[in-house]
Amino acid sequence: MNMREEFWDTSPHYGGQREIWDALRAAAEAELTLAQTIIDSAGVIVQGRDLTLCWDERGAKYELPRYVLKIWDALRAAAEAELTLAQTIIDSAGVIVQGRDLTLCWDERGAKYELPRYVLSEPTNLIREQGQ
């Protein structure tokens, strides 16, 4: 089981209502416009620019780790793809890249996503063996 599935399986144990957790999962896995509709219809109040901190109408708090958000799938796929495919993935996901690589990105709402450089390229052996 991956971390995302494990989080969603255990999320109701963090408190709050099961229906809100289900709505948050659906929104986290949806495109932006559909996600907004889901959030609005469930009566969820989003604090900030992404779904990492939310409240329901009764005042219960819901905290989501960033790795459950759909944008991470696009960033992972882009990091593993060839350049032209990576650009297509980024454009279709609505990701705004600051700079020349994916180390600093923003989504359409302005939430910031940082990727370490080591996930963007193959690792290189920095230790020279004797005789080289």
Side-chain angles (χ1 to χ4, degrees):
M1 178 182 300
N2 66 34
M3 288 175 54
R4 187 180 289 181
E5 288 299 318
E6 185 176 323
F7 173 79
W8 291 120
D9 286 346
T10 60
S11 60
H13 300 289
Y14 300 128
Q17 301 175 60
R18 176 67 153 163
E19 299 79 22
I20 299 296
W21 283 114
D22 291 344
L24 288 171
R25 181 176 188 170
E29 296 173 351
E31 298 297 329
L32 184 61
T33 53
L34 178 57
Q36 187 63 56
T37 302
I38 293 167
I39 291 300
D40 291 343
S41 65
V44 173
I45 301 156
V46 179
Q47 180 176 329
R49 297 181 177 193
D50 60 20
L51 295 173
T52 54
L53 183 59
C54 303
W55 306 85
D56 67 18
E57 294 171 332
R58 295 180 180 178
K61 183 178 178 181
Y62 300 82
E63 293 183 77
L64 278 64
R66 285 184 178 253
Y67 61 81
V68 302
L69 303 178
K70 183 174 176 59
I71 192 167
W72 287 109
D73 291 336
L75 291 174
R76 183 183 322 114
E80 295 171 354
E82 305 244 352
L83 185 59
T84 53
L85 178 57
Q87 188 62 54
T88 303
I89 293 168
I90 292 299
D91 291 343
S92 66
V95 175
I96 302 157
V97 179
Q98 181 176 330
R100 296 167 34 163
D101 58 18
L102 293 171
T103 55
L104 185 58
C105 304
W106 308 85
D107 68 15
E108 294 170 329
R109 293 178 177 230
K112 182 179 176 181
Y113 300 86
E114 296 181 71
L115 295 174
R117 287 191 186 280
Y118 64 83
V119 302
L120 300 176
S121 64
E122 292 295 319
T124 56
N125 187 354
L126 300 177
I127 301 173
R128 289 184 177 248
E129 294 184 24
Q130 286 184 326
Q132 288 187 351

